[in-house]
Amino acid sequence: MRARRAGVFLGLALAAHGLGAGAVPARELVDRARHAAARGDHAAVVRAYEEVRAAGLESDDVLYNLGTAYAHLERYGEAIACFEVVDRRATLALGVSHNLRAARLRLARRDAARTGRAVVDSEPGPWIALGETLPLDASVGLTVLAELLVLAGLWWRRRTEQELARVGATLAVIVAGAVALLGALVATSRLGAPPWAVVLRDGVSLRQTAREDAIPEGRVREGERVERRGREGEFIRVRTLDGRGGWVRSRELGLLPR
Amino acid sequence: MRAPFSAGVALAAWAALAPAEALGVARVELQLVPPQPVAGTPFRIVYTLHVQNEEPASGAPLQCGGLEVLANPGGPSTSSFAVLGGAGFQLSMTTSVEYIVRAPRPGTYVVTGARAVSQASGRVLAQLPPFTVRVLAGSGAAPAPQPPQPQGFPGFPGFPPMPGFPPMPGFPDPQTPPPEVPRPAYEADPDAPPEGALTGAQFQQDGFLRYAVDNPTPYVGQQVILRAWLYVPAGDAACDPVREPSVTGFWSESLMLLRGLCARRWTMQNVNGRLYGAGMVRKIALFPTRSGRLEVGPMAMTVEYLQGDGFFGTRRQTEASSPSLVLEAREPPARGRPSGYVPGTLGPLGLTSELDRPSCTVGETVTLRLRAEGNGYLGSVGLPQLTPVDGVRMHLGASRAHTDTSSDQVRGTLEQEVLLVPTRPGSFPLGLLQVPWLDPSSGTYHTAQAQLPTLVATGAALEPEPGAHTDDPQVALEPLREEPSLAPPRTLFTTVPRAALALGFPPGAVVLSLLGAIARRRWRRREDEALARARSDPGSLLAEARRCHAAGDARQALDLAGRALAQARKALEADGRSADAGVAEAQARCDGARFAGDTAEVGPVLDSVAQAVASLEAGA
């Protein structure tokens, strides 16, 4: 009996080892991607980073590298979606912003060559643009810090007896209050904005209803940012920045975080 | 004797003339003979003009619509007929003429223009609404055959042959019927309201709207024609839409343009034993965009019509409405569905293609125009991408969709441009374009094909494109990061509650601390007030004195008892009364014990003070 139990354990251990042996470690995938990038094989870079992403490792660097590789392969919609995610999460993402702009320009040039007209980017409106000046974490953190500074300034102004110190404390309270107000506006705008998505591919149709056999009403541009307004099965109801609405397959959209 | 006689004559003259002045009537009538005409057989329209105490009038010529007019006598006229009637001086004139017409096919015809016009002033004295003639098919519904009419002599139609004379050569035998001419089968007019049971409507006596579709179970994308008729108990009506039918789930295209008219023509129909005029007010081509239950919403109109004749009739206004109509749209059959079939692509579909020029120099752009033409809305038919051709760069160009609604079947056209740029010299066959489509009548799929032309390019081959993007710093991509971090992103405030909590924490803490301070201050104030109240209350002071006595503090107990007694006396004196002897005695005992420092007497002293306080409080 004991020998039988030991055999079962041994078998399970071997099976578990076998299963584990199939998965490539993330670091190895990153190395593969690095080597592929060095020889200009962007398709291999994409494959490696997509595996990393599928494993749940969606760090800013991974998304940045994946987006850059997508852009080299002229898969601009997916590239823009990756860059947008990082841009919305990271506070100082200068390289990401540059590549996002470059991907949009490349896409616009391609569209212009095909159809004679192109749109680089659509303005989402001043209130939404205000919310996108800072990531949510940064705006909330800045606001909290400024609020604490306001409180500290008030406390110091009450305690001190020197006139110069009182004036300084008052100025500090005013400045910190303005920063807190601005940060709160940014955070409120971001929190109140609708959830967004990016169209991943070219020729995506806007359908009247959430069905495969619905007659398409129009199209959305690759890389276009759309507002998510609901979901039904595999379809997401969207609204473009120019006011058109319809249903799009969820796999044709890259969802952006708040 | 003379005066009563002349008065009677005057009364009789007035009695005869008075109604003649009041009843000035002109009337026109149309009558069919036979009442139910048959297609291909001549029949008569009797056009009668009746004028009573009116100026001489004549009837305007009739417009017989699609009927073939065999004899057109023009309009009737009362100038040559006069019949004296009524009470001696009432002038009544009646005249009629007969139009002989023939309907080329069964269906509904409308005869218009029946009106009486004054010969003197040109004023219209009376007129009839459009007169509907329903012509039956030659077989089945035709009325009982008329006995053969005797044929006349040539040049003398209607002149009967003389009995007993043999038929003349070259003339038909009156005894033998003419040979039967085979009549073609015609379809009923689809724009006429359906006969039979009243479907698609909710009967209302004053008027209602009725829906009908030609196909209640279409495929997705298949055309359905929705017709709406207005029924009124009159020959015609004016109408104004209140609610148009909602067509959610359809792509729609209107097939009629009324330009201010309520309906182009009116057909009389018997509904629930009453004669109603029915006019088509809407005709819309619908194309289901999804399968399942689809609903055409109800429609409503305000309607105004004349009830009764044109002279004595009354104008009525009402609101007519229809119920909603449900269609069941079917999915395209799964069986045999080819890959690449786009739902809604219904045939027959025609494909054509053309190059703007068959040959060009290498590097030049040539436009290939693909054109699909078919039934319904082709905006959904994305033409498939062309197979890549080595040596030719292909880019999608402009796309245009157009619909033609000039007939009942909406025709759609889709044009797609493809820009071709040859990169080397040679002859490039562009292949075959195939678009699968569904035949809704049989439920089978077919494929439309177009052989694309061949592009011929001359000149030197182009150099491979350099990295065009890398030269422009605006579009040059930053390089990949060599050592990317795999650490998951840390986001704290991804949800509204979290962010709101963080943002509101500092001000919230301040507000809470302020509220706490205010509450604490109020609580203290209340405590102080209670203490002050206890210090001036004789009962509380006495109770405190008893507690001090129990604790062994006799001096404090006596002090408190003395203060209790003093407070009680003060309250009594505030009411304007003085204390009695018992109070003075208790005061004396208390003061004596306090000065003597007699701790043994504290208990009785307190009792006497308590009695005195009680009596003082009772008195107060």
Side-chain angles (χ1 to χ4, degrees), chain A residues 95-180:
Chain A
V96 173
S97 300
H98 174 85
N99 278 8
L100 175 59
R101 180 81 185 157
R104 284 199 176 125
L105 280 171
R106 286 178 175 221
L107 178 60
R109 288 185 182 184
R110 191 193 70 186
D111 287 348
R114 286 181 179 178
T115 63
R117 59 183 182 278
V119 178
V120 177
D121 197 7
S122 303
E123 289 297 326
W127 177 245
I128 292 173
L130 174 70
E132 295 182 353
T133 49
L134 276 177
L136 193 56
D137 274 8
S139 61
V140 173
L142 184 70
T143 307
V144 171
L145 188 66
E147 285 171 347
L148 292 173
L149 280 174
V150 168
L151 293 179
L154 288 173
W155 178 78
W156 177 250
R157 189 175 177 277
R158 196 170 176 183
R159 291 293 298 266
T160 187
E161 291 178 355
Q162 293 180 1
E163 192 58 31
L164 195 62
R166 288 172 71 89
V167 171
T170 306
L171 284 175
V173 165
I174 290 170
V175 170
V179 171

Side-chain angles (χ1 to χ4, degrees), chain A residues 17 29 58 64 147 161 196 204 214 216 224 236 239 244 257:
Chain A
H17 182 261
L29 289 169
E58 275 202 350
Y64 167 81
E147 285 171 347
E161 291 178 355
W196 298 100
V204 172
E224 185 173 358
I236 293 177
R239 187 170 180 273
R244 293 175 297 129

Side-chain angles (χ1 to χ4, degrees), chain B residues 132-413:
Chain B
T132 305
V133 179
R134 185 170 296 282
V135 178
L136 302 176
S139 59
Q146 300 287 325
Q149 298 295 317
Q151 300 292 315
F153 285 103
F156 300 92
F159 193 80
M162 297 296 286
F165 280 80
M168 293 177 69
F171 290 86
D173 184 358
Q175 302 304 320
T176 52
E180 283 284 327
V181 179
R183 294 167 177 151
Y186 295 102
E187 288 182 1
D189 181 8
D191 290 343
E195 297 284 356
L198 186 66
T199 53
Q202 194 169 8
F203 179 75
Q204 292 167 299
Q205 201 165 349
D206 291 342
F208 56 93
L209 284 159
R210 181 182 189 183
Y211 277 151
V213 288
D214 57 351
N215 182 7
T217 56
Y219 285 110
V220 171
Q222 186 181 1
Q223 176 177 316
V224 178
I225 296 183
L226 169 76
R227 292 179 175 87
W229 290 274
L230 172 64
Y231 280 69
V232 288
D236 64 353
C239 58
D240 195 21
V242 176
R243 188 168 61 241
E244 292 288 349
S246 62
V247 287
T248 307
F250 297 95
W251 179 78
S252 64
E253 192 76 48
S254 178
L255 294 178
M256 67 187 292
L257 190 64
L258 287 169
R259 288 199 181 119
L261 277 176
C262 184
R264 273 209 191 91
R265 60 178 180 172
W266 295 84
T267 308
M268 300 310 288
Q269 200 174 51
N270 193 325
V271 182
N272 292 350
R274 197 173 170 188
L275 209 56
Y276 279 81
M280 191 171 70
V281 290
R282 291 291 179 276
K283 184 175 178 183
I284 304 170
L286 301 176
F287 299 87
T289 57
R290 59 180 169 84
S291 60
R293 187 178 182 276
L294 298 174
E295 187 174 305
V296 178
M299 182 186 181
M301 286 183 146
T302 53
V303 185
E304 192 175 338
Y305 57 87
L306 197 65
Q307 202 166 32
D309 61 50
F311 196 81
F312 293 106
T314 53
R315 195 161 288 280
R316 286 187 62 98
Q317 195 168 13
T318 184
E319 181 168 317
S321 61
S322 76
S324 55
L325 184 76
V326 174
L327 277 78
E328 191 68 37
R330 291 178 289 168
E331 283 200 20
R335 188 178 171 192
R337 187 189 294 186
S339 65
Y341 172 72
V342 178
T345 316
L346 300 170
L349 195 72
L351 287 177
T352 54
S353 66
E354 60 170 350
L355 282 172
D356 63 347
R357 55 190 189 280
S359 62
C360 67
T361 311
V362 170
E364 283 185 359
T365 303
V366 178
T367 305
L368 171 67
R369 283 193 185 80
L370 305 173
R371 183 184 168 92
E373 195 172 354
N375 291 334
Y377 176 55
L378 290 185
S380 65
V381 183
L383 290 173
Q385 290 197 344
L386 302 184
T387 313
V389 177
D390 183 37
V392 179
R393 274 190 243 140
M394 295 182 178
H395 302 290
L396 277 183
S399 175
R400 285 179 294 274
H402 172 70
T403 48
D404 175 16
T405 56
S406 57
S407 66
D408 276 4
Q409 176 61 57
V410 174
R411 298 280 295 167
T413 308

